[in-house]
Each structure stands twice: as structure tokens, then as C-alpha cells.
Amino acid sequence: MIVEQQYIELFSQTEAMICKHSAEVLNAPRAAAFADFERIGFPTRKMEKYKYTDVSKYFEPDFGLNLNRLPIPVNPYEVFKCDVPNMSTALYFVVNDAFYNKALPKVHLPEGVIFGSLKEVAEQHPDLVKKYYGKLADTSKDGVTAFNTTFAQDGVIFYVPKNVIVEKPVQLVNILRADVNFMVNRRVLIILEDGAQARLLICDHAMDNVNFLATQVIEVFAGENTVFDMYELEETHTSTVRISNLYVKQEANSNVLLNGMTLHNGTTRNTTEVLLAGEGAEINLCGMAIADKNQHVDNHTSIDHAVPNCTSNELFKYVLDDQSVGAFAGLVLVRPDAQHTNSQQTNRNLCATRDARMYTQPQLEIYADDVKCSHGATVGQLDENALFYMRSRGIDEKEARLLLMFAFVNEVIDTIRMDVLKDRLHLLVEKRFRGELNRCQGCAICK
């Protein structure tokens, strides 16, 4: 527990300050989370769930934390401009781990919809936040979740009341901004009541070339007959470490699409846990990673079919170049009562060099007998026959390789249910393969 000790001492010394700058509802589970963190500590590669990423070592350096909530001198609405034709979004910002409320978009969300600071909404509507906050993110089972719950002071809440449809997509841009090596602990709470519909795009960016460590915990509650799309786009830099835990609970006949895309990063560890708790629920879980240099991308997913007649579709693709490392571990659990489950899991990976490494571990646990389930994984290199065919038609080798890699990941992009965003990502991925997207330059999705 050597790495953990500095944070145990820090919390013991600053607990009053942390609580002072947060809300009572967020403070309520803090002591229990801290006790869990003291007991289990950070994950290490000795744990099966984290065997491909040694999370613990990334917490060893001395990072700055803004526990006193000092204002950060940046106006994101002046720094980031969104001018994609036909892509009109309600644009919000989180600077490090605080919701930016000094200016807000001039949009009118439907009556009753809340999008704002988790801290402020917890003070204004404590019963609403208390009902959901921390109910999916179990601090007793994961050290990062326990750590985040211990130190998180603010975040974002997205609440959509019963039968309300949010037509305009909501865009949340997370900005990392600091002059010294810095840690942030972000929290996101998403609640869709029965019959609600919404779409959320989350973009991660880093403004400064210092070492950043970001922990993030997202909880999504999808009520009966809801439709929810969430797209995450990471485009930071090679000195950024992102550790994100996403927890989703779906009720009957809900339809959720999750698509996480890593275009540029340093080290990324994403955990996604989905509970299908109501009959007729459907989850489409997709992901894509493009990595080169010494970048590291690790996705660990779990889909729990707890009731009958649910559907899950999972698709992850990686393109790895240079000495980059990718990892994917996906578990689909079909419980004894979950008859008539329909589940498909696919992981396809492309290593463009001999030094790139990919680790894949698809898993199926089936305890029901009337189900339709499949899973598969492949790791390979570019198709030499296709490459030869394209070169014989006058396409030079570099361009042919780019075209083949672009076609490989295209399937994941095509799962997006927003045409303008889909078109923009086609362009961004092409630029990434050409080396033109080699660092964060503002919100590239919006330029």
C-alpha cells in the first residue's frame, strides 16, 4: 500500500476542505468510499480484471489536485468554437473536474431537463441526486471507483424526465488545463426516466503539455422504453492517463448505444459494466482505438443478462502501429433465468508492425439453455493480397495501407446514429491515419 499511503494521508488532512467545496449528497458516501479504498487500494496487474494495465503505477507521481476549487483562468466558450455545418448541439464544458457555469449555451432544453453542475444540482434537488448517486458505482468492488468517490467534488448531471425527448444532441467537452502535473476526478450522473430519449457526445481534450491523470466514473440509469446514445471521443496527448469506469443499468425495452473512440492518447483504461435488468432491453456497445508510438489502450467490458428476452451487440476494433499496446477483455454473462437471450460479441484487431501488441480475451458464461450467443476475436496484419491488388491498380503502398486501415475501422463509425457526427469522424479518422491529428488542437470534432 505504498502508493496508496500518500492519498490516505492527503484525504485525512483535507477531508474538511473536500467536503466544504462539495455538496452534502456527494459527501454522504465519501467516508465509506475512503474506507473501501484503504482496504483494497489501487488495482494492479495481479488482479485478473486489470492484468493488461498496471493502474497502480500511474498514481505514484506527485500530482497537483485542486481540492480548494480555485478558479481556472480559461473561458472555454472563447477557446472552442463549433462550426460543423448542420451539427447543432447544446455545448457545455468541464474544466478539469469542475462544471463551467460562468457562461452557458443559449439553448433551451425541454422543460424539466437538467444539465449542469452535479454539486449545484445536488444542493438544489438533493432527493433526486441522492436516489441515484453511487447506486451503480460500487466502491467496495473497485479501487478506482472508491478513489474517485473519495475525492470527487463536482461533475455533471444529465436528467431527462418521463416521456421527454431531447431533440438537440448535447455535447460535453472535458478540458484538461494546468501548468503543473495534474490530477482530476470527474463524475457524471445520467438519468433517463421512463420513455425519455437523448443523445450525448463527450469529448476529452488537453490544452497543456504536462502530465495529466484523469479518473472518471459515469453512472447511467435508462428507464423503461428509453432511447439513449452516448459517444465518447478521446483526443488528448501522449502524456495523459485516463482511467474511466462506466456503469449502466437498463430497464425493460430500453435501447442504449455506447460508442467509445480513442483517436489520440497516452494510456487509457476503460471499464464498462452493463446490467440488463428489464425484459426487452437492448445494448449496442462499440469501441475503436487507433494507437501508435507507445500508446496504450485497454477496454474491459461486462454485459450482464439478468432477465429473459434481452439483446446485446458488442463490436470493438483496434489499429495498432509502432510499439503501441492494445487490450480487450469482454465478458457476456447469461444468468439462469435469462432465457431467449440474443448476444453477439466481436473483437477485430490489426497490428501494422511486428512490435505492436494486442491482447484479447472474449468470454461467454451461459447458464440458460434457450439462448443465441456468439463471440469471436482475431488479431492480424494487413491483407497482403488486397495490398498487392491495390498497388497493381496504381495506388502507392502508403496510400493503399491507409485505405485498408480506414476500411477496417469504418464498421464501428457506421454504428453512430448521428449522420453529421458520423461524417465528421470519417474525416478525423482519415486525418489520424495520415498523421495530421497528432495532438489536441482544440475541439477537433467542431473545427
Side-chain angles (χ1 to χ4, degrees):
M1 299 287 285
I2 298 176
V3 177
E4 291 81 0
Q5 192 59 39
Q6 62 175 317
Y7 298 104
I8 293 171
E9 294 175 0
L10 176 65
F11 182 77
S12 300
Q13 296 166 2
T14 62
E15 181 179 2
M17 179 195 301
I18 293 171
C19 293
K20 176 184 176 182
H21 294 285
S22 190
E24 184 178 343
V25 176
L26 277 64
N27 291 334
R30 208 178 293 278
F34 178 60
D36 287 332
F37 175 68
E38 281 189 296
R39 177 176 55 85
I40 60 181
F42 291 119
T44 68
R45 294 185 67 175
K46 294 180 180 179
M47 304 176 185
E48 177 68 21
K49 185 178 175 181
Y50 285 91
K51 63 191 281 188
Y52 301 118
T53 304
D54 187 0
V55 168
S56 178
K57 74 174 185 179
Y58 295 110
F59 288 85
E60 292 178 359
D62 184 16
F63 289 100
L65 289 94
N66 188 12
L67 301 180
N68 208 26
R69 315 313 284 173
L70 300 176
I72 305 298
V74 59
N75 183 348
Y77 285 95
E78 294 178 355
V79 177
F80 292 81
K81 303 298 181 182
C82 188
D83 60 1
V84 176
N86 303 318
M87 185 173 169
S88 176
T89 63
L91 179 62
Y92 299 89
F93 292 91
V94 166
V95 179
N96 291 334
D97 49 18
F99 183 79
Y100 187 83
N101 57 8
K102 294 180 180 179
L104 293 172
K106 296 179 180 179
V107 297
H108 296 286
L109 296 175
E111 183 178 355
V113 174
I114 299 173
F115 195 98
S117 163
L118 181 59
K119 171 183 176 294
E120 292 182 0
V121 175
E123 293 170 341
Q124 298 163 1
H125 307 280
D127 291 340
L128 172 65
V129 178
K130 183 179 180 180
K131 182 179 179 181
Y132 295 99
Y133 182 75
K135 296 302 186 287
L136 294 181
D138 190 343
T139 60
S140 68
K141 295 182 179 180
D142 186 272
V144 172
T145 297
F147 180 86
N148 179 279
T149 306
T150 299
F151 284 97
Q153 295 169 282
D154 192 12
V156 172
I157 181 171
F158 187 14
Y159 168 73
V160 186
K162 186 176 181 179
N163 295 326
V164 172
I165 299 175
V166 183
E167 297 285 356
K168 183 183 291 291
V170 178
Q171 184 175 3
L172 175 65
V173 178
N174 293 318
I175 300 175
L176 296 173
R177 169 75 179 92
D179 298 323
V180 297
N181 295 343
F182 204 72
M183 177 193 294
V184 304
N185 297 288
R186 297 191 295 251
R187 200 72 185 220
V188 181
L189 179 61
I190 301 169
I191 307 158
L192 279 78
E193 292 190 342
D194 296 352
Q197 297 184 26
R199 292 171 292 177
L200 176 63
L201 167 64
I202 302 177
C203 306
D204 281 10
H205 297 286
M207 289 184 62
D208 301 289
N209 287 318
V210 300
N211 295 320
F212 287 108
L213 171 57
T215 75
Q216 176 175 270
V217 173
I218 303 176
E219 296 176 282
V220 178
F221 296 84
E224 293 185 7
N225 300 300
T226 56
V227 179
F228 179 60
D229 293 5
M230 188 173 81
Y231 308 100
E232 288 191 272
L233 177 66
E234 182 182 9
E235 193 208 335
T236 53
H237 58 57
T238 54
S239 298
T240 298
V241 176
R242 165 192 153 117
I243 305 168
S244 177
N245 291 352
L246 167 60
Y247 302 93
V248 182
K249 182 180 180 182
Q250 295 184 230
E251 303 298 344
N253 301 309
S254 58
N255 186 296
V256 174
L257 168 62
L258 306 174
N259 194 327
M261 294 158 282
T262 302
L263 289 189
H264 208 279
N265 73 317
T267 297
T268 297
R269 160 66 192 218
N270 297 319
T271 300
T272 303
E273 297 186 3
V274 180
L275 172 62
L276 301 175
E279 289 195 40
E282 179 177 346
I283 176 68
N284 293 282
L285 177 56
C286 307
M288 176 184 71
I290 301 172
D292 55 18
K293 305 180 180 67
N294 292 300
Q295 294 168 336
H296 181 105
V297 183
D298 179 358
N299 282 288
H300 187 284
T301 71
S302 171
I303 300 176
D304 185 348
H305 286 261
V307 296
N309 301 303
C310 291
T311 301
S312 64
N313 299 296
E314 190 170 3
L315 174 65
F316 278 78
K317 288 195 172 186
Y318 290 64
V319 177
L320 306 174
D321 205 347
D322 299 330
Q323 293 82 41
S324 59
V325 175
F328 171 80
L331 169 65
V332 176
L333 171 62
V334 182
R335 295 188 181 273
D337 294 331
Q339 303 293 350
H340 307 118
T341 287
N342 190 339
S343 175
Q344 182 174 349
Q345 181 192 82
T346 304
N347 174 225
R348 299 282 184 258
N349 310 287
L350 189 62
C351 292
T353 68
R354 293 184 178 275
D355 294 326
R357 292 290 180 269
M358 181 68 204
Y359 303 93
T360 180
Q361 188 179 10
Q363 304 168 74
L364 267 178
E365 290 188 22
I366 303 174
Y367 300 99
D369 52 16
D370 188 5
V371 300
K372 183 179 180 181
C373 299
S374 67
H375 72 306
T378 61
V379 180
Q381 296 179 318
L382 289 174
D383 187 334
E384 293 297 331
N385 291 329
L387 196 60
F388 175 79
Y389 176 84
M390 295 173 73
R391 293 190 66 189
S392 69
R393 295 300 184 271
I395 302 174
D396 66 57
E397 183 175 358
K398 182 179 179 180
E399 186 70 18
R401 288 181 177 276
L402 290 173
L403 291 172
L404 287 175
M405 289 190 291
F406 181 76
F408 180 76
V409 300
N410 199 43
E411 186 180 2
V412 176
I413 300 174
D414 284 343
T415 64
I416 295 172
R417 297 191 286 208
M418 291 170 56
D419 289 340
V420 177
L421 177 58
K422 186 188 302 184
D423 293 342
R424 185 60 182 163
L425 275 166
H426 280 136
L427 177 60
L428 285 179
V429 168
E430 182 181 352
K431 290 177 67 176
R432 175 67 174 94
F433 281 135
R434 295 185 184 278
E436 299 171 11
L437 203 65
N438 57 6
R439 68 179 302 273
C440 176
Q441 296 178 345
C443 188
I445 200 75
C446 300
K447 285 180 177 270

